[in-house]
Amino acid sequence: MVRQVLSDRTGIYPKNLTNRHFVRLLGKGLVLTDGDEWKRHRKVVHPAFNMDKLKMMTMTMSDCSRSMMSEWESELAAKGGLVEIELSRRFEELTADVISHTAFGSNYKEGKQVFLAQRELQFLAFSTFLTVQIPGFSYLPTMKNFKTWSLDKKVRGMLMDIIKTRHANKNVAWYGNDLLGLMLEACAPEHGESCPQLSMDEIIDECKTFFFAGHDTTSHLLTWTMFLLSTHPDWQEKLREEIAMECGDKVPAGDMLNKLKMVNMFLLETLRLYSPVSLIRRKVGTDIELGGIKMPEGALLTIPIATIHRDKEVWGEDADEFRPERFENGVTRAAKHPNALLSFSSGPRSCIGQNFAMIEAKAVIAMILQRFSFTLSPKYVHAPTDVITLRPKYGLPMILKSLKL
């Protein structure tokens, strides 16, 4: 049933756009568009995520990571070799910095207000996520709606400033080859009619999508990976040995990252147990029978990723256990169904940024393991909480020790 819904190419199961707060958070970009509109958006955005471009981005990812770790080293030097650092917030800032540099040619400080406003929108959207959506209610002048409108206006204004800056700095021939540059090229009036066009409003919506989706999910993947590494010190040592063998003391680059098989297995198992997105929703576009059940047009379907990822019928009797070696032969052979891992969705609408996220996570984890050993702080309280994405409710305090001292 899940495969039938996610692999559909006919538009029978479109995205659910009934929650206006959610649409304001993500924008009606690649994640929320359907049909021909989605194809037009994807054609423009896809070149920004080809593997050659991603390999070029690894140096930017490494530079941003090195900056974060320099701060950690300064704190360690001041505290005498051991320091407690709350990692979840640091990873949010890091991944925001990476997506700002790689996709929009800015940095975290310039985009900080966008991220803070989107975080508020995220919590407002989640507060309405599981409630019945009354038609027209999102247009009434309630306090929550006023706050949402104000934040949305603020985000749009800041994104327009970033776009205007790129316009002002345009090279004679082009806008640049990052995500924003490619979108502006598609919007440029000098393009012929055969080119896939994006309006300025559509570009702003895509910026919303990638500002949020490009950093939020990856930051939580890094957070939960560090949690599992701290609770499985044997695997921490295994990965450190692999990184030492493949990378030495060098900054991990594209070809080196491809050789980190155990790191990849560890990240996939983290995604299985702590998938950043815990469910996917689709709307039924027409009356249909699905899995022997008659579905009326307009019915909402929920695919519970977190439940499927721990289903013993799919993953075996050890589904609740932490076992990265289950991915030793790849994702398609890890479970009884080849598409059982749904962290990046599946089918034609699978996440366009999944390779970006995995390369970034590999690079960051490799650099951390080269420089630090770490254990979970006694202050840590295990309380995974879902606010559209899965995060530790009370953060991830970690005790770090430098391997260089």
Side-chain angles (χ1 to χ4, degrees), residues 46-57:
H46 187 262
F49 292 93
N50 69 44
M51 287 309 294
D52 289 335
K53 285 247 175 70
L54 292 179
K55 285 179 181 178
M56 292 168 59
M57 291 178 189

Side-chain angles (χ1 to χ4, degrees), residues 161-200:
D161 288 342
I162 292 173
I163 292 168
K164 286 176 182 176
T165 300
R166 181 64 66 91
H167 268 296
N169 296 330
K170 180 195 174 186
N171 185 287
V172 175
W174 66 329
Y175 289 97
N177 65 350
D178 61 6
L179 177 63
L180 181 57
L182 288 169
M183 291 193 294
L184 289 173
E185 284 291 325
C187 181
E190 60 263 26
H191 277 264
E193 288 299 315
S194 61
C195 290
Q197 298 289 302
L198 289 181
S199 69
M200 191 55 68

Side-chain angles (χ1 to χ4, degrees), residues 217 219-229 231-232 266-278 305-306 309-310 320-322 341 343 380 382-385 389-392:
T217 52
S219 74
H220 299 318
L221 169 57
L222 288 169
T223 296
W224 292 118
T225 300
M226 289 295 285
F227 165 72
L228 287 170
L229 281 169
T231 53
H232 297 82
F266 198 99
L267 289 170
L268 292 173
E269 182 70 343
T270 303
L271 285 169
R272 186 184 73 86
L273 292 173
Y274 295 97
S275 178
V277 178
S278 60
I305 295 174
H309 279 185
R310 292 176 183 257
D320 289 326
E321 298 174 19
F322 173 78
L341 191 71
S343 299
Y380 175 74
H382 192 60
T385 185
T389 49
L390 189 71
R391 63 189 65 216

Side-chain angles (χ1 to χ4, degrees), residues 204-344:
I204 290 173
D205 277 344
E206 287 295 0
C207 287
K208 278 185 179 182
T209 296
F210 284 97
F211 256 111
F212 178 76
H215 92 279
D216 193 69
T217 52
T218 312
S219 74
H220 299 318
L221 169 57
L222 288 169
T223 296
W224 292 118
T225 300
M226 289 295 285
F227 165 72
L228 287 170
L229 281 169
S230 68
T231 53
H232 297 82
D234 55 329
W235 274 94
Q236 189 179 145
E237 284 306 314
K238 284 181 186 177
L239 299 197
R240 189 174 286 113
E241 288 171 10
E242 180 184 58
I243 292 160
M245 183 172 66
E246 301 295 347
C247 307
D249 290 329
K250 295 178 182 177
V251 175
D255 291 336
M256 294 180 196
L257 294 174
N258 289 337
K259 296 176 182 177
L260 301 179
K261 304 300 182 185
M262 282 197 290
V263 174
N264 191 61
M265 287 159 48
F266 198 99
L267 289 170
L268 292 173
E269 182 70 343
T270 303
L271 285 169
R272 186 184 73 86
L273 292 173
Y274 295 97
S275 178
V277 178
S278 60
L279 58 85
I280 298 172
R281 276 190 164 178
R282 291 286 190 272
K283 191 166 69 172
V284 178
T286 184
D287 292 348
I288 195 168
E289 187 171 307
L290 182 62
I293 303 171
K294 291 183 179 179
M295 301 283 184
E297 180 182 351
L300 290 180
L301 303 177
T302 298
I303 299 170
I305 295 174
T307 304
I308 293 170
H309 279 185
R310 292 176 183 257
D311 189 339
K312 292 181 180 180
E313 290 185 12
V314 177
W315 294 93
E317 289 302 312
D318 61 357
D320 289 326
E321 298 174 19
F322 173 78
R323 288 189 64 251
E325 55 268 27
R326 74 176 77 244
F327 290 100
E328 190 172 4
N329 296 314
V331 176
T332 56
R333 295 182 181 179
K336 296 176 183 177
H337 191 286
N339 298 316
L341 191 71
L342 296 171
S343 299
F344 296 110

Side-chain angles (χ1 to χ4, degrees), residues 9-20:
R9 294 177 181 271
T10 63
I12 294 176
Y13 308 104
K15 294 296 182 83
N16 171 34
L17 301 181
T18 55
N19 189 321
R20 300 301 303 170

